Amino acid sequence: MTNRTLLIVGAGGHGKAVAEAVLLDGQWRRIVFIDDRWPELQQCAGWPVVAKVSGLAEIASNVQGAIAAIGNNAMREQCLEAIISARIPLVSVIHPTAFVSPSARIGAGTAVMAMAMIGTDAVIGMAAIVNANATVDHDASLDDFAHLGVGVHLAGGVRIKTRAWLEAGCSAGYGVVVRENAVLGPGTVLVAGK
């Protein structure tokens, strides 16, 4: 086990899930959170909340990596910009129960959660979320800041564009393209050409 400390931006539900994945992976010894509810919020998942997002640069020298763990795509993008401005290395977190094909590409700052599956030649952009039990099959792609909710299933060749959010239980058939900034409600079924 290393002595490294990971900064998680966002002390909500997704932040807690990311922290759990980090600890199960064993590559980080400590976690600190920042969240705009600080100083009222002092702790998340047993780890300290140490500042608001505006204080990120002040703690940069005390951490070795960071991930923005906020479900809201636009807010996650803003937090990612703050991490980059503070010159903290972006970290991707992959839950140890997830399967990621050796030929898949995962962008910096991305979270791949429990039991997710990323298939052959899939491409996941920067700061995307592939939530628990989600499937990104062969040759499918998520652009930067895209978000797959729990149990979303993408068939081969599907393209999810920047900041699109597919909520829990959505499914997309072969070759579907989801437009930038789209928000698709729970259980939406997408078929190419419709």
Side-chain angles (χ1 to χ4, degrees):
M1 187 177 282
T2 71
N3 288 319
R4 301 185 306 163
T5 298
L6 179 68
L7 170 64
I8 298 177
V9 181
H14 184 57
K16 287 193 292 187
V18 167
E20 182 176 270
V22 166
L23 295 174
L24 289 171
D25 182 66
Q27 294 186 40
W28 299 87
R29 176 167 282 180
R30 289 190 69 241
I31 294 170
V32 295
F33 286 91
I34 61 171
D35 190 285
D36 282 343
R37 294 171 291 169
W38 180 85
E40 291 80 17
L41 181 64
Q42 292 285 311
Q43 196 175 74
C44 178
W47 296 98
V49 179
V50 297
K52 293 186 177 193
V53 175
S54 59
L56 193 150
E58 296 165 19
I59 63 166
S61 63
N62 298 320
V63 300
Q64 289 70 54
I67 184 170
I70 296 171
N72 180 292
N73 295 339
M75 289 179 64
R76 190 167 66 259
E77 183 174 6
Q78 291 171 1
C79 291
L80 184 94
E81 291 168 2
I83 292 167
I84 291 169
S85 293
R87 299 177 187 254
I88 303 171
L90 284 174
V91 171
S92 291
V93 171
I94 299 174
H95 194 284
T97 64
F99 172 79
V100 178
S101 167
S103 64
R105 294 190 314 251
I106 308 292
T110 287
V112 179
M113 305 309 292
M115 304 301 287
M117 192 287 289
I118 299 177
T120 304
D121 290 330
V123 177
I124 311 296
M126 183 168 59
I129 296 172
V130 179
N131 227 317
N133 291 307
T135 302
V136 181
D137 203 2
H138 66 85
D139 303 298
S141 64
L142 273 65
D143 289 353
D144 296 346
F145 312 108
H147 182 170
L148 301 184
V150 172
V152 170
H153 298 294
L154 306 182
V158 170
R159 171 116 190 253
I160 308 300
K161 293 193 175 180
T162 304
R163 287 181 301 280
W165 179 22
L166 280 65
E167 294 186 40
C170 290
S171 62
Y174 296 99
V176 164
V177 176
V178 175
R179 75 184 190 287
E180 187 172 320
N181 297 313
V183 177
L184 303 177
T188 300
V189 176
L190 302 168
V191 179
K194 293 188 178 182

